[in-house]
Amino acid sequence: MNPLLSFALGLMLSAQASAQWIERARLSHVDLDGDGTDEVVVGGRVGPFLPEDAPADLRRARIEILRGSGGWMTPLARSEDLHVVDDVEAGDFDGDGRVDILAVGGDRLFLLRPDRDRLTVVAETALPGSSRRVSASRGSPEGIVAATSYDVDTDGDAGTTTVILLGLRGDTITRRGEIAVRGHVGDLAFVRGEHERLLLVAETGGGDEGGDARVWDAIEFGRPRRVWEGRVTSGARALTVAADPTGEVVFGGMDGTVTTCAWSGEALTVLGRSHVGVVEDFTAVAPGRWAAWLREGRGVHLLDVPR
């Protein structure tokens, strides 16, 4: 593309994006002001859809922290243009009392912090390949971060996902280890098991078929141990996985079914299923109460997911 044309198009898209909704949204939650009520964190694309091979400087994405009770929520803070945001995670991950916001996009992991009405990037690190999902543990002196990178095989087979494990302490991000997973990881989440055991739960599959869950004992950096594997859906992919404050894990299926599971100490046990529509992502804002971005809706909706 002509450099001048590219620059002009970039300015036009940037101006359009500043006033547009976030699309293909990913969600998290955090208590921004310390009042005991969590706000919703939203990250994703803004502006018109562009193919993945479009130059990064033409693509637009941002993160916002929202307050409200439904689809029309008020932005409290927002980031500058990050170009690509595939997933977000928010919380105080290293126990230092500050809000941490993590985002993955392209081949980068960003750490942002709120400063009044702005979310500012304070650290970033390169990740191998194209990163899609991120999750992080809460309440430890050093947060454990898991980010995924997917590579398709040259013969067009299912490919391999690398789950990159990193440590977060203050503004420092340190590479700790990785897990190789045959197939595609739809999403992943940390959950506390018995005796404060830290588990990493991921959904795996390929194409439209999946709904298989893998669970690793993740408390030791660099040496995660797989402790369980099994199917939790009827075979549909679940590209959203989240844990609530009680330790239950919820899988959002591409068929519109939400499956609620609990860790029994030896396996994930299905507690119930409900049909709510296809969910782009959801995050727990209270036990049993979820903020969700529905594919057919626009904005954040609050759901009670029955067990």
Side-chain angles (χ1 to χ4, degrees):
M1 180 179 291
N2 181 285
L4 290 177
L5 180 59
S6 175
F7 177 71
L9 181 58
L11 288 179
M12 181 185 71
L13 294 176
S14 180
Q16 291 177 348
S18 65
Q20 288 179 328
W21 287 77
I22 292 176
E23 306 285 352
R24 298 300 302 273
R26 299 289 296 179
L27 304 181
S28 189
H29 63 97
V30 70
D31 185 358
L32 180 65
D33 51 13
D35 65 354
T37 300
D38 280 359
E39 283 73 46
V40 178
V41 181
V42 183
R45 187 191 83 231
V46 292
F49 169 80
L50 293 175
E52 290 193 9
D53 58 357
D57 61 351
L58 295 184
R59 302 172 68 185
R60 299 287 174 251
R62 69 170 178 258
I63 300 170
E64 295 181 351
I65 298 181
L66 306 177
R67 172 183 290 159
S69 59
W72 300 100
M73 306 183 86
T74 303
L76 299 180
R78 65 172 55 182
S79 72
E80 299 295 336
D81 182 18
L82 296 177
H83 296 296
V84 183
V85 174
D86 289 322
D87 201 9
V88 294
E89 178 76 307
D92 177 8
F93 301 126
D94 56 1
D96 65 357
R98 295 187 295 177
V99 170
D100 305 312
I101 298 177
L102 296 168
V104 289
D107 61 353
R108 313 296 292 178
L109 170 69
F110 299 96
L111 171 63
L112 301 94
R113 290 223 168 80
D115 180 10
R116 298 184 181 180
D117 62 347
R118 291 291 179 185
L119 301 177
T120 304
V121 176
V122 297
E124 62 181 275
T125 189
L127 298 174
S130 182
S131 301
R132 298 298 187 194
R133 296 289 183 257
V134 66
S135 185
S137 66
R138 300 167 186 257
S140 302
E142 183 176 31
I144 303 176
V145 181
T148 68
S149 175
Y150 181 63
D151 292 310
V152 180
D153 288 349
T154 56
D155 61 4
D157 201 357
T160 300
T161 300
T162 301
V163 179
I164 303 127
L165 299 174
L166 308 106
L168 174 64
R169 188 187 294 269
D171 296 343
T172 302
I173 302 170
T174 307
R175 183 79 172 262
R176 294 298 193 186
E178 61 183 44
I179 307 169
V181 180
R182 184 64 179 167
H184 177 259
V185 170
D187 199 7
L188 71 175
F190 284 98
V191 63
R192 291 285 176 178
E194 69 282 8
H195 309 298
E196 290 300 300
R197 184 183 186 186
L198 183 62
L199 303 171
L200 178 62
V201 179
E203 186 270 355
T204 65
D208 294 332
E209 184 176 353
D212 298 317
R214 298 190 188 188
V215 181
W216 293 270
D217 193 325
I219 198 63
E220 291 190 56
F221 279 133
R223 295 191 298 273
R225 180 173 57 90
R226 191 167 69 190
V227 293
W228 186 79
E229 180 177 1
R231 177 153 290 190
V232 294
T233 76
S234 59
R237 292 302 310 271
L239 302 185
T240 61
V241 180
D244 81 354
T246 69
E248 293 181 356
V249 184
V250 175
F251 296 80
M254 293 179 64
D255 61 354
T257 300
V258 172
T259 302
T260 304
C261 300
W263 178 252
S264 68
E266 297 181 351
L268 277 179
T269 302
V270 174
L271 301 178
R273 294 188 173 94
S274 58
H275 189 86
V276 300
V278 180
V279 177
E280 293 283 0
D281 197 19
F282 45 51
T283 188
V285 292
R289 172 58 64 94
W290 299 83
W293 194 289
L294 301 178
R295 182 168 297 179
E296 296 180 357
R298 197 172 193 184
V300 177
H301 300 263
L302 296 179
L303 302 177
D304 292 310
V305 178
R307 291 173 53 172

